[in-house]
């Protein structure tokens, strides 16, 4: 489902990612484990088409990410370290708007938002404003939002960083639900426990390699 071959990212004289390769099978949860500054976020950005690789090849579900980064974003859900939620909207409105802007019709986006709320146990908070939510709840909403267009692949950059233990466990439960639903998940983390619990396989990164 995901294949990266000798991908590199260079900023000036700094090699952020120095030619790494890995492959992720359909339905697998694959982890990139490493300390802060290891190059995990840069790798995630290249895989999701948000930042071009300087060299190497990347494909997601048969799509050449280097040549067609727009197409890959149509089949991929992305959860960044910064959730990017609209604090002026309710939980439901955040989901609905994301689906609508992602190409769903108004009717389908509304229906899909209700499905996602139910799937993640957020229905009772659907009318709450985002600014009223805890950090853990915002993270859950960001993951729920990434599911609005029923993606084949979800890329998550440190999904539980900064959360309290209870919220972290809830996020882990939701990632397990995604796996049960057959979604291919690529996640980065610096928590060994998180990698052990969630990942089928992983790569260890440090200093971009």
């Amino acid at each position: 489902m995901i294949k990266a071959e000798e991908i590199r990212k260079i900023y000036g004289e700094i090699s952020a990612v120095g030619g790494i390769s890995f492959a992720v099978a359909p339905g697998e949860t694959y982890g990139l484990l490493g300390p802060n500054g290891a190059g995990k976020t840069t790798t995630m950005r290249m895989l999701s088409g948000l930042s071009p690789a300087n060299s190497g090849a990347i494909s997601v579900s048969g799509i050449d990410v280097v040549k067609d980064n727009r197409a890959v974003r149509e089949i991929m859900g992305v959860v960044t370290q910064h959730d990017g939620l609209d604090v002026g909207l309710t939980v439901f409105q955040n989901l609905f708007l994301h689906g609508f802007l992602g190409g769903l019709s108004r009717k389908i986006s509304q229906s899909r938002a209700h499905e996602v709320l139910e799937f993640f146990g957020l229905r009772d908070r659907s009318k709450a404003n985002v600014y009223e939510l805890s950090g853990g709840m915002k993270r859950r909403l960001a993951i729920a939002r990434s599911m609005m267009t029923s993606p084949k692949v979800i890329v998550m950059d440190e999904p539980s960083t900064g959360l309290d233990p209870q919220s972290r466990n809830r996020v882990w439960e939701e990632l397990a639900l995604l796996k049960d639903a057959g979604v291919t998940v690529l996640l980065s983390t610096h928590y060994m426990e998180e990698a052990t619990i969630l990942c089928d396989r992983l790569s260890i990164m440090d200093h971009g390699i």
Side-chain angles (χ1 to χ4, degrees), residues 12-193:
E13 298 181 355
I14 299 174
S15 177
V17 177
I20 65 172
S21 301
F22 61 90
V24 184
E28 185 175 30
T29 297
Y30 193 94
L32 297 179
L33 174 66
N36 292 332
K40 303 186 302 296
T41 295
T42 301
T43 300
M44 296 295 215
R45 287 180 59 80
M46 288 190 287
L47 288 167
S48 56
L50 297 175
S51 180
N54 290 111
S55 63
I58 307 170
S59 65
V60 177
S61 190
I63 298 171
D64 187 327
V65 178
V66 176
K67 293 181 179 178
D68 197 352
N69 57 18
R70 184 183 298 272
V72 77
R73 288 198 291 270
E74 294 177 356
I75 66 164
M76 178 183 287
V78 179
V79 181
T80 61
Q81 288 187 43
H82 304 288
D83 296 326
L85 300 169
D86 193 324
V87 297
L89 301 178
T90 66
V91 168
F92 175 83
Q93 289 168 339
N94 264 274
L95 294 175
F96 170 79
L97 184 61
H98 186 79
F100 185 68
L101 295 177
L104 301 181
S105 69
R106 184 180 297 273
K107 182 178 180 180
I108 292 177
S109 184
Q110 185 176 32
S111 174
R112 180 61 181 160
H114 286 299
E115 292 176 1
V116 170
L117 286 168
E118 188 70 35
F119 185 82
F120 285 103
L122 292 169
R123 181 172 294 281
D124 62 337
R125 303 308 304 275
S126 64
K127 296 181 180 179
N129 288 99
V130 169
Y131 64 79
E132 299 175 305
L133 304 180
S134 66
M137 191 69 73
K138 289 178 182 176
R139 204 61 177 153
R140 290 173 59 192
L141 177 57
I143 296 172
R145 186 182 60 177
S146 73
M147 285 291 291
M148 276 297 295
T149 55
S150 302
K152 298 179 180 179
V153 180
I154 292 183
V155 171
M156 298 185 179
D157 193 8
E158 301 192 359
S160 65
T161 295
L163 300 183
D164 61 80
Q166 184 177 6
S167 297
R168 183 177 300 151
N169 287 337
R170 180 59 179 164
V171 167
W172 289 355
E173 290 173 3
E174 288 163 353
L175 293 182
L177 290 175
L178 295 180
K179 182 175 179 61
D180 290 342
V183 178
T184 303
V185 177
L186 175 68
L187 65 88
S188 67
T189 182
H190 56 257
Y191 295 125
M192 292 188 67
E193 181 187 11

